[in-house]
Amino acid sequence: MINQRFPYAKEIIETVIENAYVWIVIVDADGNIIYMNDNYCRFCEVTKEEVIGKHVTEVIENTRMHIVVKNGEEEIADLQYIRGNYMIANRIPIIADGKVVGAFGTVMFRDTKEWSEMNSHVRHHLSSIQSFIEQQDDTGAKYTLNDIHSKSAIMAGLKEKVKSIAATDSSVLIRGESGTGKELFAHSIHLLSHRSDKPFVKVNCGAIPEHLLESELFGYEDGAFTGAKKGGKKGKFQQANGGTIFLDEIGDMSLQMQVKLLRVLQEKEVEPVGSTKTIPLDVRVITATNRPLEELMKANDFRSDLYYRISVIPLFIPSLRERKEDLEVLVRQFIKKVSIRTGKRISMIHEDVMDTFYHYHWQGNIRELENVIEAAIHLAKSDLITLDSIPDYIKQSTIYHSKSESALTLKEMLNDAEKEILLKMIQKYKGDKKGAAKALGISKSSMYEKIQKYGLE
């Protein structure tokens, strides 16, 4: 009846099965193979003619198909080691007239790496669902790739790289200028990983006083030092156990602390201050910095062995100046975000403002752009953001760059030249203003005065 209505049903079914993403094997009640699709045959380096009629144990390594036939119990998402790879297999008994007449087996993913990458891909799509986001409240991570707004090719490539590395447990070093969104990428990596339901712990190594950083990271025992909390305290590494720890501003860490951190990363265990016992750790480490670590290593201010330990997978986040095609997307997003927060409705931005934005250098990157949009929304007199609404230093910078040299006074030329020199030195030293000041032969206070003067904060 079916064949009369669908004369090519047999060919259709065979084509679908042969080209299915999964590998397929079917055995009879005795565990003998009655079907095996081409993909599975190629992997096992056999032909269909060779395997038909053979017992499944003679063809597939570590198979359990014959066991499923005997006990009639299905096995879902079971790990199976075949030809040097861990497969993820399903085995389902085939029942007819109340008895097991065979079994149907599939390999869903050809190895655990493939499964992990697919898992990250699925998590990326789930992350756009609010209910999924709400489940992350207790873990500490809240940003996903969906929160990184862009349309540039360079950012699209970076996001794809994040999806592929999230499935691993390798250490990641995120580089980029201040304000580029390094922390958002750290959150995203965690939420796309198999550790997403475990803690995500952030530590700003540059914000914690040196004498407190060790106890903050590694914890301490009761009575370890004067002022220690009764009963001791868990360190950030212990809090992150099973999950991810994000060490921001790693370039600001002292050499003494670098040695202690390196030991923890090498031994995968931590010894709290005042304790003689070590605690085993299972923590993925993500670090970030805007400092030139290579130059710091040359100056013996950063350990090369620690650098190679934390930079197994390097990520570089480009500055806003390198991807100005993202400006429009970011401006639109920030207007929406700030408008909701402030309750002030802004629906438009004048083209002159966008033109000014495209010509501005954005030393502070995305963080500076968001602050400018927030100020503009507060200063806007209608639902339109105009040039009158944006900070003067943005407009002045654009005016200086748009004037011809003949239209500038000597003072303006000197100011413009000084500003450009400051910008280049700050960029060269990756935002390290102290290092830039030293290279220019001026004091730190003079550097900050000039930064404030030219609006380079």
Side-chain angles (χ1 to χ4, degrees), residues 27-179:
V27 301
D28 61 18
D30 297 318
N32 297 320
I33 296 174
I34 60 176
Y35 178 81
M36 191 168 175
N37 72 347
D38 286 337
N39 286 336
Y40 212 163
C41 285
R42 277 194 294 272
F43 176 75
C44 292
E45 297 182 349
V46 294
T47 65
K48 282 187 178 182
E49 291 74 19
E50 290 174 337
V51 301
I52 300 302
K54 280 190 176 182
H55 196 267
V56 68
T57 56
E58 297 179 48
V59 179
I60 302 175
E61 183 182 358
N62 297 316
T63 184
R64 289 178 53 83
M65 291 291 291
H66 58 300
I67 297 173
V68 171
V69 170
K70 285 184 179 180
N71 62 29
E73 296 178 1
E74 68 177 26
E75 298 178 354
I76 303 297
D78 186 46
L79 280 179
Q80 182 178 343
Y81 190 77
I82 313 176
R83 299 178 68 82
N85 289 274
Y86 277 104
M87 310 294 183
I88 299 176
N90 291 335
R91 309 178 190 97
I92 301 170
I94 300 171
I95 301 174
D97 296 327
K99 62 179 180 179
V100 178
V101 298
F104 171 69
T106 62
V107 173
M108 297 169 58
F109 301 97
R110 289 180 279 269
D111 54 44
T112 50
K113 180 177 183 292
E114 186 176 273
W115 176 85
S116 295
E117 289 181 354
M118 181 63 72
N119 189 34
S120 293
H121 181 71
V122 172
R123 286 180 184 277
H124 170 60
H125 290 290
L126 282 175
S127 66
S128 61
I129 303 173
Q130 186 60 33
S131 60
F132 177 84
I133 298 295
E134 290 171 354
Q135 292 175 11
Q136 310 308 318
D137 288 345
D138 294 334
T139 70
K142 56 184 178 179
Y143 300 113
T144 72
L145 290 180
N146 295 311
D147 295 303
I148 302 173
H149 302 278
S150 63
K151 68 175 184 179
S152 61
I154 189 172
M155 290 298 287
L158 194 55
K159 288 180 181 181
E160 287 303 313
K161 186 175 182 180
V162 166
K163 291 178 191 177
S164 65
I165 68 172
T168 75
D169 273 336
S170 300
S171 299
V172 180
L173 172 61
I174 306 176
R175 309 283 293 270
E177 295 180 7
S178 179

Side-chain angles (χ1 to χ4, degrees), residues 132-389:
F132 177 84
I133 298 295
E134 290 171 354
Q135 292 175 11
Q136 310 308 318
D137 288 345
D138 294 334
T139 70
K142 56 184 178 179
Y143 300 113
T144 72
L145 290 180
N146 295 311
D147 295 303
I148 302 173
H149 302 278
S150 63
K151 68 175 184 179
S152 61
I154 189 172
M155 290 298 287
L158 194 55
K159 288 180 181 181
E160 287 303 313
K161 186 175 182 180
V162 166
K163 291 178 191 177
S164 65
I165 68 172
T168 75
D169 273 336
S170 300
S171 299
V172 180
L173 172 61
I174 306 176
R175 309 283 293 270
E177 295 180 7
S178 179
T180 50
K182 296 187 291 295
E183 184 176 334
L184 270 66
F185 279 92
H187 282 247
S188 300
I189 292 169
H190 174 76
L191 288 179
L192 289 175
S193 74
H194 64 91
R195 298 173 180 268
S196 62
D197 59 341
K198 302 299 181 182
F200 176 81
V201 178
K202 301 176 294 181
V203 183
N204 188 323
C205 301
I208 301 174
E210 172 66 22
H211 65 284
L212 296 178
L213 187 57
E214 181 179 3
S215 60
E216 189 71 18
L217 288 177
F218 311 137
Y220 57 82
E221 292 292 295
D222 186 6
F225 51 83
T226 304
K229 184 179 178 181
K230 187 176 181 181
K233 181 184 176 182
K234 280 187 176 182
K236 298 296 186 182
F237 270 92
Q238 285 178 262
Q239 294 173 30
N241 210 3
T244 303
I245 189 165
F246 174 47
L247 303 176
D248 199 4
E249 305 295 353
I250 189 74
D252 292 341
M253 185 178 284
S254 71
L255 284 171
Q256 183 181 2
M257 275 304 303
Q258 290 175 36
V259 173
K260 294 178 180 179
L261 174 61
L262 180 62
R263 183 192 173 281
V264 170
L265 299 184
Q266 288 175 332
E267 304 299 329
K268 298 186 186 302
E269 61 183 21
V270 64
E271 183 177 308
V273 177
S275 175
T276 57
K277 297 180 180 179
T278 58
I279 300 168
L281 291 174
D282 172 25
V283 179
R284 184 182 194 171
V285 178
I286 301 176
T287 55
T289 185
N290 60 4
R291 301 285 301 278
L293 296 186
E294 292 81 4
E295 292 183 24
L296 292 179
M297 285 190 287
K298 289 178 182 177
N300 294 321
D301 289 329
F302 198 86
R303 294 181 63 95
S304 59
D305 46 5
L306 177 59
Y307 173 79
Y308 294 117
R309 175 71 63 172
I310 64 176
S311 63
V312 176
I313 300 177
L315 279 184
F316 180 77
I317 315 302
S319 67
L320 187 53
R321 298 182 300 282
E322 297 172 270
R323 53 185 182 99
K324 285 195 174 179
E325 57 265 52
D326 288 336
L327 262 173
E328 187 176 344
V329 176
L330 290 166
V331 167
R332 186 164 57 245
Q333 175 60 27
F334 290 145
I335 288 176
K336 179 181 177 182
K337 176 182 175 181
V338 177
S339 294
I340 291 173
R341 188 171 72 237
T342 61
K344 187 171 182 179
R345 184 176 178 180
I346 299 292
S347 59
M348 294 178 290
I349 183 166
H350 198 281
E351 61 182 20
D352 288 346
V353 176
M354 284 305 303
D355 186 60
T356 299
F357 285 173
Y358 279 115
H359 285 88
Y360 183 62
H361 54 79
W362 297 111
Q363 181 65 27
N365 291 293
I366 298 171
R367 185 182 296 127
E368 182 183 13
L369 176 61
E370 183 174 5
N371 291 338
V372 168
I373 294 297
E374 181 169 356
I377 287 176
H378 284 297
L379 294 171
K381 296 177 181 178
S382 64
D383 64 347
L384 174 67
I385 293 179
T386 64
L387 285 172
D388 291 336
S389 310

